[in-house]
Amino acid sequence: MWPGTWRKVLAGLSPVSGAAVRVVKWLYCPVGKRDTIFALSSGHGKCGVAVIRTSGPASGAALRSLTGQQELPRPRAVALRRIHDPSSAETLDRGLVIWFPGRLPGLRPADPGEFTKRAFQNGKLGLTEVEGLGDLIHAETEAQRRQALRQMEGELGQLYQRWSEELTKALAHVEAFIDFSEDDNLEEGVLSRVDAAVQTLEEEVRGHLQDGRRGEWLRGGVHVVIAGPTNAGKSSLLNLLSWSLNSPLAPRSLCLGQRPAAIVSPVAGTTRDVVESALNIGGYPVVLSDTAGLRETQDAIEREGVSRARERLQRADVVLAVLAAVDVAPEPGCLAEALRAILPPGVPARQAPCVLVLNKADLLEEGRGGALLGACGEGALPPACLLSCKTGEGVDSLLSLLGTQLEQMCGDPLAGSPSLTQARHRLHLTSCLGSLGRYHGYKSLDLVLAAEELRLARRHLGKITGRVSAEEILDIVFRDFCVGK
Amino acid sequence: MFLLRRRRALPPAPLPCCRRAGSDGTAPRWDVLVIGGGHAGTEAAAAAARSGVRTLLVTHKADTIGQMSCNPSFGGIGKGHLMREVDALDGLCARICDQSGVHYKVLNRCKGPAVWGLRAQIDRKLYKENMQKEILNTPLLTVHEASVEDLLLMEPEPDRPGKCQVSGVILGDGSRIHAGSVILTTGTFLRGMVFIGLKMHPAGRLGDQPSIGLAQTLEKLGFSVGRLKTGTPPRLAKDTIDFSVLERHMADNRPVPFSFLNEAVWIKPEDQLSCYRTLTNAKVEQIIHDNLHLNNHVRETTRGPRYCPSLESKVLRFPNRIHQLWLEPEGLDSNIIYPQGMSMTLPPELQEQVIACIRGLEKAKMVQPGYGVQYDFLDPRQLSASLESRLVQRLFFAGQINGTTGYEEAAAQGVIAGINAGLRVSGKPPFIISRTEGYIGVLIDDLTTLGTNEPYRMFTSRVEFRMSLRPDNADSRLTLRGFEEAGCVSQQRYAQTSRLKAALEEAITVLKSLQFTATKWSRLIPEAPISTSRSSLTSALDILQYPEVTMELLARAIPEPLRKFAEWRELAERLKIEAVYEWHVASQQQEIEEVRRDEALQLPEDLDYFAIDASLSQEVREKLDSNRPQTIGAVSRIPGITPAAIVNLLRFVKTNRQRTEHIEHSRIGRASPEGNTFGKSKFQNSSLSCTS
């Protein structure tokens, strides 16, 4: 199974987007009014079978929309169903569905251990079922923790952590205002400072949501664009990558590269259109695009090809800049200039990472390859590698460079579930933003309601960064204000 | 035995079933014995007596019953909430305050009714008089003046946690009194130490003796003890203060009573006294800084609170600032002013210097110096949510001895301990208020689950469900339960609350059913800025949310059927509040139910967390052992407990329950009742066989 498929289903369940399964277990919990929760119940990472489980009143509605059928399957019987993306109706996969009936809105991702707890609450969980679950949950949360920790080291983690601190402080100051402003002298302007802080936070979160593309990358693939001058070997590179990844170990669906995807010829300007190939590089879904060689040309069709190449470059997530190693001098200046010809300032639109591929290494004289790499190292140039599309030599180092790049961008999909995490993040950040917006609305009406919105915002952010207790809020209150009698 | 007064001289009756004779062969004389006559003690004794058990209150000095030992005020933000809840359980302090206040004020008026803080300056003398009158007139309650030296102990009841059980007390004169349950409310008297400057001497309040014997007994029994410090400001002579230069703060001109039973307070609004505000200055700061070496209390290492209880801590932690001081009257005919915020422990002559450099106090005479108190408290994590100790059966603790500060916090615990001590004697299940039901629940859950390392004070920010747990609705949350489950609520109050609750529900149904288009609403109520862009129908309850809209306004627009609701003033005010929070309360309901479900998953009280065969880390085991959570809900609130640990714990307890049930089944020949109580079935069964 495409490792991203269950992620797609989960993403489809979350109010964010996209959905498929091998087995979907719909569990009904009979007690009281409650949320509908969902989670991947099987292990994370690549696996042949994934089990996705939901529980709660909206489970039936979720199942109907995912299967695109009005009728629910016969209760407690396994049924084969096509799984659709509820929003686009696109078929994602086919899978087995089991329906454990109950009553029927609102879905949210399950907290760690929540399924087990519910089963306990309902007295439904037998001992054998519970055996091992704790460890599984432990593994899951451990992985999440490790992932969180790793992200903590990255800028994303630092960003969330900073937001969390600012929001907690804003909340603590509103709480101080509620509990102490009448008796103790809080300085002037506590609330207006909170307003400003909340506003800044809103802007940042909003910007981040529009910008944070990791989840999308993992769902839709990272767009890697091969660009470079004509006859540098771009199409050969596309074919080479497609071929070399077409091993029996890689799932079939991943490789379109059964046959050469791009036409290769010694004639400069052979590639006129953008040729795409879907690949799996180190577990990351990648859409690799070969583009027309960049040069000024009188040929109308080729000109169109070049303009499409530039357009594609603008939207690239990663650029593979291909140069013929024999055409560049081993000096940082020359290399930089060649690179600028492919990627003038402002291209691509976002600061997409770049990998420099020095092709035709087989044609190099002895020692020149090392000199080229050395020059790249000196000149603050992107990571570079020597490669020969003809012999296939160097493809491993390119894949490893790309893999590192992808890992930096998307996180490690084998060590947790980044797309779920990302979908979760997106959901919680969106909810957080909603609450921050309502804070302003309620402020003039009732400060308790406004504070509640900050609390909710904090709760949502806390699902990513960790819970904050009332005591920690009080710590800030007593640190920042002279209160108490 | 010197009986101060007994209204009904009832003969000692045999006690309810299921209790054995005392160690010396005589039946216990009292059902509940309360040690201490402070705010926790009086509420505990009265609550026990209200719920129908014979109660004895033992105090050092009967004359100190109802004494407000520190500030002359009751209530405030969070604390007012507690008082409302105490009142909803028919407790005393709210009603006594309605008879004794001299300055009533609702704090936080502009911040939303969920955090309105009812507060009053109280006439100390009146409060004490009224409280003593109340206590001495409470049926089934007797007061005895004596010091308590020791506890009478005997073998524990089997199948319950605890190494022994209390069966009474030994008094200072060596005599014994037997009781079914004992409640300890000795405040700061356990090894109390008073600090003024470099001098220190053992005492509780200034001039009272500390209870050293009792402290030693508790320590010998294995209670873990912590030490806290608190303080009180100097007192000033009113006629030596120049109020003309100070900022005057008037009381509300329509005082809001604390008690649900009262429509008005005793004092005429215009007869109320004022408070005054003055400020510290650089000179004050200088004196404090220059004399730190003369200030043992401040230099001491005993852990102080994070907040600033004393002038010294304010100055040290927030230097170069001006701090507020409130001059509060101590009573109608009292010449004493209580300077709130001026608590200090400098030597008296330096305190006088500090006072003299404050505006308005230049010539003020210090009647009594400020002083610090350090005292023992018992780690409240040794108590269950009923406030019964897990070490010694039938021994309850309430008030400052559990690490809290404040009259209201003490009173709240007192009511709960009193009720439960009575229920324990009658063999009934304990009366527990969940943190989803009241501030009292939050207070007790925080204390018994997390403990404290500073005097615990109530703040509204501690309460997760603040929008639901409001001062206005404490009665509908607690009164009916108090009547039905604890028997501590009078018939009259029960009837009143039932009537109001029914009316509220009816009115809300009516308001929800009145639905019109926004256009029609804006025509009916032009005062409200109703957006006419909404296409769906809007209910009258939604319209009532607008700040501009009142029930009166609604009833004017739609007299039928709304007039009758609008004319009932209290109902109309409460409807308005309900409307404001309706949406949020409803959406919080889900969260509340989740907490309740977690709280329904009970853990056995005697679990040995170090020995159990569950996959738990040593750190988690230590935390569970020291906090002794009673439910999975409580486990989840302990910092550092992971979801995985919770699940592993659940698994263990589930296994354990099945095993226990199997044993029980084969032993008594029937299945134990199914329920969510894990591992507890053996306790339930044995208490069943005991009562039948």
Side-chain angles (χ1 to χ4, degrees):
Chain A
M1 184 179 190
W2 170 251
T5 311
W6 53 261
R7 296 192 187 118
K8 290 192 178 186
V9 179
L10 292 174
L13 286 168
S14 81
V16 182
S17 138
V21 226
R22 296 292 157 158
V23 179
V24 182
K25 185 176 177 189
W26 256 255
L27 180 83
Y28 164 59
C29 298
V31 187
K33 176 180 154 189
R34 48 174 42 163
D35 301 345
T36 300
I37 56 175
F38 63 89
L40 178 74
S41 291
S42 51
H44 291 284
K46 279 200 225 177
C47 43
V49 173
V51 179
I52 292 174
R53 193 170 168 198
T54 78
S55 168
S59 296
L63 183 53
R64 281 198 206 96
S65 74
L66 282 172
T67 56
Q69 295 190 355
Q70 274 311 302
E71 293 293 306
L72 288 168
R74 205 152 54 81
R76 293 172 295 278
V78 179
L80 179 65
R81 290 285 182 269
R82 225 171 250 288
I83 314 288
H84 306 274
D85 181 325
S87 51
S88 68
E90 174 200 351
T91 301
L92 294 166
D93 203 348
R94 292 198 309 163
L96 299 177
V97 164
I98 312 172
W99 167 241
F100 296 91
R103 270 167 266 158
L104 295 183
L107 248 73
R108 66 174 172 82
D111 290 330
E114 194 169 0
F115 272 105
T116 315
K117 211 170 69 187
R118 275 198 184 185
F120 266 111
Q121 287 164 350
N122 299 334
K124 291 277 181 198
L125 207 56
L127 257 184
T128 44
E129 291 174 82
V130 191
E131 283 310 328
L133 262 181
D135 298 332
L136 182 68
I137 290 161
H138 181 69
E140 179 189 339
T141 47
E142 265 307 292
Q144 284 172 356
R145 194 184 60 79
R146 275 203 300 273
Q147 178 167 345
L149 217 82
R150 200 176 40 245
Q151 287 183 348
M152 286 298 151
E153 288 158 12
E155 60 180 305
L156 189 66
Q158 282 167 11
L159 181 69
Y160 289 166
Q161 202 54 45
R162 179 170 62 79
W163 285 348
S164 169
E165 280 159 20
E166 276 166 21
L167 185 51
T168 307
K169 186 172 165 185
L171 176 58
H173 285 204
V174 173
E175 294 294 345
F177 192 77
I178 288 176
D179 272 340
F180 302 103
S181 68
E182 301 255 332
D183 258 0
D184 296 282
N185 47 342
L186 268 56
E187 311 90 280
E188 296 290 308
V190 171
L191 282 189
S192 49
R193 282 202 303 278
V194 169
D195 288 354
V198 169
Q199 210 153 4
T200 313
L201 202 56
E202 267 181 284
E203 282 156 19
E204 288 188 27
V205 175
R206 195 176 294 121
H208 179 76
L209 275 171
Q210 285 158 1
D211 197 51
R213 292 176 49 88
R214 292 175 186 216
E216 290 160 39
W217 285 331
L218 285 162
R219 281 196 296 277
V222 180
H223 284 264
V224 178
V225 177
I226 305 176
T230 50
N231 256 353
K234 300 182 294 299
S235 301
S236 302
L237 181 60
L238 176 96
N239 289 340
L240 175 71
L241 289 176
S242 302
W243 278 102
S244 63
L245 292 167
N246 184 22
S247 75
L249 289 172
R252 268 176 65 87
S253 60
L254 291 184
C255 292
L256 300 174
Q258 293 273 29
R259 56 183 172 75
I263 304 164
V264 180
S265 86
V267 179
T270 303
T271 305
R272 303 293 180 88
D273 204 348
V274 177
V275 179
E276 286 188 354
S277 180
L279 303 173
N280 173 359
I281 299 178
Y284 300 97
V286 164
V287 178
L288 188 63
S289 316
D290 177 28
T291 60
L294 301 168
R295 65 168 177 180
E296 295 301 316
T297 172
Q298 298 306 310
D299 184 324
I301 298 172
E302 196 186 343
R303 213 161 47 219
E304 176 58 26
V306 171
S307 103
R308 285 186 187 189
R310 295 208 190 280
E311 188 199 341
R312 187 55 66 102
L313 261 178
Q314 279 292 353
R315 291 188 283 131
D317 298 318
V318 177
V319 176
L320 286 183
V322 184
L323 296 172
V326 284
D327 294 349
V328 282
E331 286 163 26
C334 292
L335 283 159
E337 199 181 325
L339 197 61
R340 251 198 312 279
I342 306 171
L343 302 170
V347 174
R350 284 187 311 278
Q351 279 252 306
C354 175
V355 174
L356 186 55
V357 181
L358 300 166
N359 192 20
K360 306 189 186 179
D362 51 307
L363 301 178
L364 286 177
E365 306 155 15
E366 195 62 35
R368 197 171 159 97
L372 274 168
L373 288 181
C376 288
E378 281 168 43
L381 289 164
C385 67
L386 284 169
L387 181 101
S388 164
C389 288
K390 198 170 167 189
T391 64
E393 207 167 312
V395 73
D396 287 342
S397 60
L398 171 60
L399 286 176
S400 123
L401 274 180
L402 254 180
T404 313
Q405 197 57 62
L406 292 170
E407 191 178 330
Q408 270 175 24
M409 292 167 68
C410 310
D412 178 2
L414 302 177
S417 86
S419 78
L420 176 66
T421 312
Q422 298 303 332
R424 249 179 206 281
H425 285 191
R426 191 162 266 271
L427 168 67
H428 293 310
L429 288 178
T430 310
S431 309
C432 172
L433 194 60
S435 285
L436 292 179
R438 285 189 294 276
Y439 161 81
H440 298 292
Y442 280 124
K443 228 200 79 193
S444 56
L445 212 63
D446 187 312
L447 197 59
V448 177
L449 294 178
E452 183 63 22
E453 292 297 346
L454 286 190
R455 273 197 200 206
L456 288 173
R458 183 66 196 75
R459 253 170 76 106
H460 287 296
L461 205 52
K463 300 249 175 177
I464 307 174
T465 58
R467 206 171 69 100
V468 163
S469 70
E471 281 306 308
E472 288 167 72
I473 299 277
L474 285 172
D475 278 339
I476 299 179
V477 170
F478 297 133
R479 184 195 68 202
D480 291 357
F481 303 104
C482 180
V483 292
K485 46 189 176 186
Chain B
M1 185 189 286
F2 165 64
L3 296 184
L4 277 168
R5 180 161 171 188
R6 275 175 68 182
R7 233 162 76 107
R8 277 192 267 165
L10 292 164
L15 281 155
C17 57
C18 135
R19 230 159 15 72
R20 270 147 268 174
S23 54
D24 54 357
T26 58
R29 173 103 195 251
W30 302 95
D31 293 326
V32 172
L33 186 149
V34 180
I35 308 171
H39 302 284
T42 48
E43 293 289 355
R50 279 200 308 280
S51 63
V53 298
R54 301 156 175 288
T55 307
L56 181 71
L57 193 160
V58 181
T59 171
H60 275 307
K61 261 193 243 167
D63 182 49
T64 59
I65 287 176
Q67 180 156 302
M68 298 169 65
S69 55
C70 196
N71 53 317
S73 67
F74 253 95
I77 300 156
K79 290 166 175 276
H81 292 67
L82 285 173
M83 287 175 76
R84 275 283 166 113
E85 293 181 1
V86 167
D87 185 64
L89 295 170
D90 229 349
L92 314 178
C93 63
R95 277 182 289 134
I96 307 294
C97 282
D98 286 346
Q99 301 163 15
S100 325
V102 293
H103 170 117
Y104 293 86
K105 191 166 180 65
V106 176
L107 304 180
N108 269 352
R109 263 289 187 201
C110 57
K111 289 178 206 155
V115 294
W116 284 351
L118 276 65
R119 192 179 68 184
Q121 301 302 322
I122 307 288
D123 184 311
R124 282 185 197 282
K125 208 174 83 195
L126 277 176
Y127 188 88
K128 197 158 129 178
E129 275 171 25
N130 288 326
M131 179 57 90
Q132 290 187 3
K133 208 186 300 169
E134 179 75 29
I135 289 291
L136 298 175
N137 284 297
T138 300
L140 295 176
L141 174 58
T142 305
V143 174
H144 178 54
E145 195 174 65
S147 69
V148 172
E149 269 312 306
D150 215 339
L151 301 172
L152 283 172
L153 301 167
M154 56 192 248
E155 285 299 301
E157 287 173 58
D159 299 334
R160 267 183 183 272
K163 54 163 76 164
C164 55
Q165 64 173 310
V166 70
S167 62
V169 297
I170 302 172
L171 301 182
D173 63 3
S175 63
R176 297 166 169 231
I177 304 182
H178 294 279
S181 312
V182 172
I183 307 176
L184 221 69
T185 69
T186 49
T188 62
F189 282 66
L190 285 181
R191 274 199 284 248
M193 190 70 93
V194 164
F195 287 77
I196 308 180
L198 293 175
K199 286 185 199 146
M200 53 182 122
H201 56 91
R205 287 187 293 255
L206 214 52
D208 290 324
Q209 309 160 349
S211 325
I212 291 170
L214 207 50
Q216 282 167 347
T217 301
L218 293 174
E219 205 164 329
K220 254 183 273 161
L221 281 165
F223 283 96
S224 86
V225 175
R227 201 148 173 86
L228 291 173
K229 57 183 187 181
T230 182
T232 193
R235 310 298 150 91
L236 310 173
K238 189 177 181 178
D239 52 12
T240 59
I241 297 172
D242 181 6
F243 290 107
S244 66
V245 298
L246 300 177
E247 194 181 298
R248 182 177 179 190
H249 287 254
M250 313 266 280
D252 288 345
N253 54 20
R254 186 170 76 85
V256 177
F258 286 101
S259 172
F260 287 102
L261 293 181
N262 295 332
E263 290 199 356
V265 298
W266 74 291
I267 197 170
K268 280 191 224 145
E270 62 273 22
D271 290 347
Q272 295 182 92
L273 303 178
S274 295
C275 293
Y276 293 83
R277 195 184 75 149
T278 183
L279 301 167
T280 64
N281 51 45
K283 257 159 107 186
V284 169
E285 214 170 313
Q286 195 60 48
I287 297 172
I288 289 172
H289 269 295
D290 291 348
N291 295 288
L292 279 180
H293 61 288
L294 298 175
N295 207 332
N296 256 345
H297 189 65
V298 173
R299 292 190 309 170
E300 267 275 337
T301 51
T302 304
R303 199 182 173 112
R306 289 168 296 179
Y307 48 87
C308 301
S310 65
L311 196 54
E312 290 98 331
S313 60
K314 288 180 213 280
V315 162
L316 291 175
R317 302 230 304 254
F318 294 88
N320 307 316
R321 281 200 212 179
I322 285 169
H323 302 278
Q324 295 185 109
L325 302 169
W326 294 93
L327 303 181
E328 303 178 349
E330 295 227 333
L332 285 177
D333 53 6
S334 163
N335 188 38
I336 293 179
I337 288 290
Y338 181 94
Q340 177 82 263
M342 210 199 261
S343 171
M344 52 182 163
T345 52
L346 284 168
E349 54 286 4
L350 287 165
Q351 292 191 23
E352 282 175 326
Q353 280 185 31
V354 167
I355 292 165
C357 62
I358 292 171
R359 189 171 164 80
L361 307 183
E362 294 85 352
K363 295 186 178 133
K365 186 172 159 252
M366 186 173 82
V367 180
Q368 181 196 302
Y371 60 90
V373 181
Q374 298 190 2
Y375 58 98
D376 281 357
F377 78 106
L378 301 180
D379 186 344
R381 291 176 297 181
Q382 301 166 99
L383 306 178
S384 69
S386 68
L387 297 180
E388 181 175 352
S389 107
R390 276 194 293 260
L391 270 175
V392 179
Q393 296 170 359
R394 299 172 179 275
L395 181 60
F396 294 73
F397 293 93
Q400 244 175 324
I401 193 169
N402 288 338
T404 60
T405 176
Y407 305 151
E408 306 79 1
E409 287 83 353
Q413 295 170 67
V415 170
I416 298 302
I419 291 171
N420 282 308
L423 290 171
R424 181 76 164 81
V425 168
S426 328
K428 291 183 191 151
F431 181 76
I432 310 289
I433 297 175
S434 141
R435 60 191 298 132
T436 64
E437 282 176 302
Y439 276 53
I440 296 181
V442 174
L443 169 81
I444 293 178
D445 183 59
D446 278 353
L447 288 173
T448 57
T449 310
L450 305 176
T452 186
N453 48 28
E454 67 190 359
Y456 182 101
R457 202 179 134 184
M458 200 66 227
F459 303 115
T460 71
S461 48
R462 296 187 188 273
V463 182
E464 295 90 338
F465 306 113
R466 186 165 62 186
M467 294 176 304
S468 311
L469 311 183
R470 305 185 308 263
D472 63 280
N473 67 9
D475 57 346
S476 35
R477 289 184 275 125
L478 300 175
T479 300
L480 307 190
R481 269 198 71 199
F483 180 83
E484 288 153 9
E485 295 169 39
C488 66
V489 171
S490 73
Q491 181 68 43
Q492 178 218 349
R493 185 190 287 265
Y494 178 72
Q496 177 186 319
T497 304
S498 305
R499 199 169 60 240
L500 192 91
K501 201 172 176 196
L504 263 173
E505 280 161 11
E506 186 201 344
I508 289 172
T509 310
V510 169
L511 287 168
K512 278 184 174 166
S513 68
L514 278 176
Q515 300 201 350
F516 301 123
T517 60
T519 324
K520 181 162 179 187
W521 277 121
S522 53
R523 209 169 47 239
L524 280 169
I525 306 180
E527 293 89 340
I530 298 163
S531 155
T532 49
S533 60
R534 280 171 71 169
S535 54
S536 55
L537 292 176
T538 307
S539 77
L541 195 65
D542 291 333
I543 295 298
L544 192 54
Q545 283 178 35
Y546 284 89
E548 298 82 0
V549 181
T550 59
M551 272 307 287
E552 201 188 342
L553 210 59
L554 268 179
R556 223 181 294 150
I558 314 163
E560 272 319 313
L562 298 185
R563 192 167 43 203
K564 67 170 180 179
F565 303 126
E567 280 168 356
W568 186 347
R569 196 189 75 192
E570 192 196 348
L571 182 72
E573 285 171 359
R574 289 178 65 159
L575 282 169
K576 170 77 188 171
I577 300 174
E578 292 286 345
V580 169
Y581 293 111
E582 203 262 340
W583 188 84
H584 277 84
V585 166
S587 63
Q588 218 174 43
Q589 201 54 39
Q590 220 161 45
E591 217 181 305
I592 290 180
E593 277 169 29
E594 190 64 38
V595 172
R596 286 195 183 148
R597 276 193 294 269
D598 284 352
E599 284 177 345
L601 297 174
Q602 293 193 359
L603 295 169
E605 295 213 341
D606 55 351
L607 260 187
D608 180 353
Y609 288 104
F610 292 109
I612 61 175
D613 177 25
S615 163
L616 299 171
S617 72
Q618 192 61 21
E619 187 196 352
V620 165
R621 285 174 197 266
E622 275 163 20
K623 282 187 172 153
L624 290 169
D625 184 67
S626 59
N627 291 284
R628 311 251 22 130
Q630 286 171 48
T631 68
I632 286 295
V635 173
S636 65
R637 285 187 288 275
I638 300 174
I641 301 280
T642 61
I646 294 174
V647 170
N648 285 327
L649 189 61
L650 276 170
R651 178 173 56 189
F652 168 78
V653 174
K654 172 107 180 173
T655 323
N656 191 46
R657 177 174 70 157
Q658 289 194 341
R659 212 172 288 140
T660 316
E661 274 170 8
H662 182 73
I663 296 163
E664 289 297 327
H665 186 81
S666 51
R667 190 164 66 84
I668 59 174
R670 64 180 172 84
S672 59
E674 257 310 314
N676 277 331
T677 312
F678 299 132
K680 259 202 145 176
S681 46
K682 82 181 165 171
F683 300 156
Q684 283 169 349
N685 285 340
S686 52
S687 63
L688 272 176
S689 56
C690 179
T691 47
S692 55

